[in-house]
Amino acid sequence: FIEVKTTLTDDKDVFEISSQQIQFAKEHRENFHIYRVFNAGDQERVRLVRINNLSLRMDQNRSGSGWWSRSQTRVGISTAKAQSMEEP
């Protein structure tokens, strides 16, 4: 399963994800991935980051990696430690 999160800029490292999406990620673990698109709509500057197995990354954070933070109804996830993808 793939969830796509986009932004029009390159400087927004954190994005929101709903509690329902987090629950889905937990249920599907290694089969759930997020693709983060930066500079959406700008063919010259577009950048894609893949976040594999969101649930595992969240579990690892509980041991102190500082990868995500929880708010009341949303979770902000930094893509700084995610895997950048090269253009094909």
Side-chain angles (χ1 to χ4, degrees):
F1 301 93
I2 295 173
E3 174 72 24
V4 177
K5 301 289 186 178
T6 63
T7 183
L8 297 175
T9 68
D10 196 35
D11 57 358
K12 186 177 177 186
D13 285 336
V14 175
F15 63 90
E16 292 185 345
I17 185 168
S18 70
S19 58
Q20 292 87 356
Q21 290 170 316
I22 291 170
Q23 183 60 39
F24 189 86
K26 288 179 180 180
E27 292 170 5
H28 297 281
R29 299 201 58 84
E30 65 274 352
N31 294 316
F32 181 82
H33 311 284
I34 292 178
Y35 282 77
R36 182 77 165 106
V37 180
F38 292 90
N39 299 311
D42 185 340
Q43 292 182 5
E44 293 180 16
R45 297 183 58 228
V46 69
R47 181 171 61 100
L48 181 64
V49 174
R50 181 179 59 210
I51 303 170
N52 294 319
N53 196 343
L54 176 64
S55 184
L56 175 64
R57 289 181 181 257
M58 291 173 66
D59 290 345
Q60 290 171 340
N61 181 67
R62 291 189 183 101
S63 65
S65 69
W67 196 71
W68 71 285
S69 61
R70 174 166 277 190
S71 66
Q72 292 178 347
T73 59
R74 297 284 204 185
V75 174
I77 301 173
S78 172
T79 57
K81 295 182 181 178
Q83 177 183 358
S84 290
M85 299 185 64
E86 300 293 329
E87 291 187 36

